């Protein structure tokens, strides 16, 4: 994305100290950074093979996956393609549940593969209901259903557990969840939620540099892949990767060595914290942030019943200029993201997922207060930070 507002001075400053509060990449903490700086090893080095295997097995257990976890080089978008490639064949029907920009991305991916696509879309800020999805699934046979757990354009969270429960009525349909802005922030359990394929990218709630994707395929998804026979895709073919995931000393395509280490360190941090505790931390933080954002005069795009805990889409108060505000934010030490599509210029997006702390939030809100004042809004210093701490400290 071209921010278009970063001048040279800001660039110099960013090199020093600008908090990255966009919805990915998210802040990379020192222990994870250290893994990126390690001396390279051969992919067949027994020390690396052991680390890669620990990552593969650890990730499978973390999400309670009945099949196989595939941490490989690539981004979230490649994982979307991987999910479709391994669960459908040309002229199959796919049902796309879209709560925004990233949900819609599946439409193009599926149409290019020659799939028959039906889309259920929600108005931005809302999410498609389980009842609507059930009704559509009853109309015809779908090979797969896709839904973004959190759509990063709207900061809406879909009810993936409820959808998964309903999906038990349609065992012939592969349930695909895009967890790119959710996994390791929002709570997920593949087996309990009846999810067949889940995926994310390293740079979102895992808090690692961009460059790795993780795709989890449950038993049913692996059976589907097998039933498809030879597929046209090569790099993303799970059958190609399965022997590597079993024994990573084998070669198929070069693993991103340092990213594997970085992701393993991140996984260990997540294991230590616990997925549920990590979700509770994200939720407590998000609720406090929402109180602060509203105190500062922003409106929150997502309806209260479907708000994500990993990021927020904030609609500007009257008279606040988008470019001026985001530029002021950089000067004050935090970079936030532009809104997408019809909300461009009218809103901004703030990521609050991964390995972030209460100190980061106070820094962010302080920068927001100063930026709003710079932009001519009448804000009493402390309004945002005060609302945040008040809410945070009163939540158990
Ligand atoms: C970021 C994101 C993607 C795309 O991931 P890339 O790593 O940018 O390719 C897909 N889906 C969602 C929900 C995302 O937030």
């Amino acid at each position: 994305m071209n921010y278009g507002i970063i001048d040279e001075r800001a660039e110099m400053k960013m090199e020093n100290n600008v908090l990255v509060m966009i919805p990915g990449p998210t802040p990379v903490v020192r222990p994870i950074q250290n893994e990126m700086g390690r001396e390279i090893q051969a992919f067949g080095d027994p020390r690396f093979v052991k680390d890669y295997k620990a990552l593969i097995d650890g990730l499978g257990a973390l999400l309670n996956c009945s099949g196989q976890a595939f941490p490989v080089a690539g981004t979230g978008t490649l994982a979307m393609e991987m999910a479709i490639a391994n669960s459908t064949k040309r002229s199959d029907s796919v049902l796309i549940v879209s709560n925004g920009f990233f949900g819609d991305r599946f439409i193009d991916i599926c149409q290019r593969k020659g799939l028959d696509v039906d889309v259920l879309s929600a108005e931005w800020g809302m999410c498609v209901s389980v009842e609507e999805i059930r009704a559509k699934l009853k109309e015809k046979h779908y090979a797969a259903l896709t839904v973004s757990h959190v759509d990063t354009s709207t900061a809406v969270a879909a009810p993936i557990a409820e959808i998964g429960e309903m999906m038990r009525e349609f065992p012939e349909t592969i349930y695909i969840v895009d967890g790119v802005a959710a996994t390791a922030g929002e709570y997920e359990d593949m087996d309990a939620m009846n999810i067949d394929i889940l995926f994310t990218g390293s740079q979102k709630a895992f808090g690692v540099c961009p460059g790795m994707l993780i795709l989890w395929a449950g038993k049913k998804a692996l059976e589907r892949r097998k039933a498809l026979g030879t597929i046209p895709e090569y790099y993303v073919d799970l059958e190609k990767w399965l022997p590597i995931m079993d024994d990573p000393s084998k070669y198929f395509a070069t693993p991103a060595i340092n990213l594997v280490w970085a992701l393993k360190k991140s996984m260990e941090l997540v294991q230590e914290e616990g997925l549920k505790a990590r979700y509770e931390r994200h939720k407590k933080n998000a609720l406090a942030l929402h109180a602060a954002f509203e105190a500062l005069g922003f409106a929150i795009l997502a309806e209260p019943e479907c708000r994500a805990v990993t990021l927020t889409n904030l609609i500007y108060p009257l008279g606040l200029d988008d470019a001026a505000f985001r530029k002021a934010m950089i000067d004050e030490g935090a970079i936030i993201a532009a809104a997408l599509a019809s909300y461009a210029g009218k809103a901004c997006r703030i990521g609050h997922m991964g390995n972030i702390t209460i100190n980061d939030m106070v820094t962010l809100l302080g920068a927001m207060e100063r930026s709003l004042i710079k932009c001519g809004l009448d804000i009493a210093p402390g309004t945002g930070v005060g609302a945040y701490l008040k809410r945070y400290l009163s939540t158990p």
Side-chain angles (χ1 to χ4, degrees):
M1 196 173 306
N2 180 5
Y3 285 93
I5 48 163
I6 302 171
D7 63 18
E8 235 169 78
R9 193 169 48 91
E11 254 175 55
M12 270 168 53
K13 220 179 138 179
M14 288 178 80
E15 208 174 306
N16 299 331
N17 204 0
V18 170
L19 191 59
V20 177
M21 297 305 293
I22 63 175
T26 61
V28 180
V29 294
R30 178 54 64 190
I32 295 174
Q33 283 183 44
N34 288 345
E35 298 295 320
M36 295 299 295
R38 282 175 63 181
E39 198 77 41
I40 197 75
Q41 286 176 6
F43 60 78
D45 186 316
R47 294 169 299 174
F48 174 72
V49 170
K50 186 165 165 265
D51 289 340
Y52 196 7
K53 187 63 182 161
L55 174 70
I56 293 161
D57 293 347
L59 286 172
L62 187 68
L63 270 296
N64 206 8
C65 176
S66 63
Q68 179 66 56
F70 299 83
V72 301
T75 75
T77 306
L78 186 67
M80 296 173 84
E81 209 154 348
M82 198 170 195
I84 295 299
N86 287 280
S87 55
T88 63
K89 60 176 191 306
R90 212 180 156 72
S91 78
D92 274 351
S93 297
V94 174
L95 181 57
I96 293 168
V97 176
S98 178
N99 297 320
F101 178 86
F102 286 100
D104 287 348
R105 182 168 277 194
F106 265 122
I107 300 173
D108 199 14
I109 291 174
C110 290
Q111 283 175 341
R112 281 165 186 242
K113 196 179 154 65
L115 299 169
D116 163 54
V117 172
D118 285 332
V119 185
L120 284 174
S121 296
E123 209 177 300
W124 275 32
M126 327 252 259
C127 70
V128 178
S129 75
V130 179
E131 272 322 303
E132 278 174 86
I133 303 170
R134 177 189 274 121
K136 197 80 193 163
L137 287 168
K138 278 186 171 163
E139 281 176 20
K140 70 176 181 204
H141 170 70
Y142 289 98
L145 172 135
T146 70
V147 59
S148 314
H149 189 168
V150 171
D151 200 293
T152 323
S153 59
T154 57
V156 161
I160 57 152
E162 290 82 351
I163 297 171
E165 204 42 52
M166 176 273 293
M167 287 299 289
R168 293 186 198 279
E169 298 165 34
F170 307 92
E172 301 299 314
T173 304
I174 297 291
Y175 179 29
I176 299 171
V177 176
D178 173 348
V180 181
T183 308
E186 301 280 346
Y187 187 67
E188 290 165 343
D189 178 320
M190 283 186 76
D191 206 39
M193 296 177 177
N194 193 32
I195 299 168
D196 298 310
I197 295 180
L198 175 70
F199 57 84
T200 190
S202 52
Q203 80 277 26
K204 307 257 175 149
F206 273 97
V208 177
C209 303
M212 288 276 284
L213 66 86
I214 311 159
L215 183 137
W216 290 264
K219 245 194 204 121
K220 195 168 114 190
L222 291 176
E223 279 162 18
R224 168 65 63 85
R225 166 60 198 93
K226 209 163 193 178
L228 292 174
T230 304
I231 60 171
E233 297 83 358
Y234 190 76
Y235 180 82
V236 294
D237 185 355
L238 298 185
E239 290 271 308
K240 292 275 185 204
W241 285 106
L242 268 172
I244 314 300
M245 297 299 106
D246 185 46
D247 174 8
S249 72
K250 290 183 182 156
Y251 171 78
F252 170 53
T254 311
I257 310 275
N258 289 64
L259 277 167
V260 165
W261 284 326
L263 189 55
K264 177 170 173 281
K265 173 57 73 181
S266 167
M267 177 187 75
E268 287 161 2
L269 296 177
V270 176
Q271 285 167 334
E272 221 168 274
E273 187 175 9
L275 263 195
K276 203 141 219 174
R278 198 169 164 94
Y279 164 68
E280 293 300 337
R281 169 169 69 77
H282 277 79
K283 187 174 172 189
K284 181 173 173 175
N285 184 52
L287 291 176
L289 277 178
H290 291 160
F293 295 150
E294 285 176 339
L296 289 171
F298 295 94
I300 295 168
L301 173 67
E303 295 293 324
E305 63 277 8
C306 59
R307 278 181 191 164
V309 301
T310 47
L311 81 148
T312 306
N313 188 323
L314 301 176
I315 299 169
Y316 290 137
L318 215 61
L320 184 60
D321 179 73
D322 175 47
F325 175 62
R326 286 188 296 115
K327 163 89 171 59
M329 283 294 288
I330 292 170
D331 289 339
E332 295 300 331
I335 183 160
I336 58 175
L340 301 172
S342 62
Y343 281 91
K346 296 178 198 146
C348 62
R349 296 174 304 140
I350 296 183
H352 37 84
M353 65 185 113
N355 300 314
I356 48 170
T357 67
I358 189 167
N359 287 327
D360 297 327
M361 299 304 101
V362 168
T363 299
L364 166 76
L365 291 165
M368 285 179 86
E369 291 178 12
R370 298 193 298 279
S371 300
L372 290 170
I373 291 167
K374 253 190 183 171
C375 290
L377 269 74
D378 186 19
I379 298 288
T383 302
V385 174
Y388 176 87
L389 290 177
K390 202 169 157 195
R391 180 66 198 250
Y392 190 91
L393 296 172
S394 64
T395 314

